[in-house]
Amino acid sequence: MTQREENFEKMLAFVQRKYADTTAKMEALKAADKTKSATFRQLMGDKLMYQNMLTLYKLYGLMEES
């Protein structure tokens, strides 16, 4: 595996981990009825960004569809 491929795999794992972490934090805030907080809104923006990145990876065949 080339250095470039290794770096891609690291980035993909990072994005997947951040997406999962962000989703979990949002669920905790939702359970605490804090969906109108600035933190929740920032997390929503982050989640959408990570989701878009993952969608692009799938679109270009860079990761398996789940």
Side-chain angles (χ1 to χ4, degrees), residues 48-65:
L48 291 173
M49 177 187 63
Y50 294 130
Q51 187 175 25
N52 286 336
M53 291 176 75
L54 292 171
T55 300
L56 284 171
Y57 291 145
K58 288 177 187 175
L59 180 67
Y60 283 92
L62 297 172
M63 64 182 273
E64 296 176 8
E65 302 254 352

Side-chain angles (χ1 to χ4, degrees), residues 14-53:
F14 172 81
V15 171
Q16 289 172 322
R17 188 173 56 253
K18 291 296 283 183
Y19 179 79
D21 291 346
T22 300
T23 302
K25 289 176 185 176
M26 288 179 69
E27 288 299 320
L29 288 172
K30 195 181 293 185
D33 196 30
K34 296 192 177 203
T35 57
K36 294 187 187 245
S37 69
T39 302
F40 185 87
R41 292 175 188 212
Q42 179 63 50
L43 289 170
M44 176 63 77
D46 292 347
K47 180 181 174 183
L48 291 173
M49 177 187 63
Y50 294 130
Q51 187 175 25
N52 286 336
M53 291 176 75

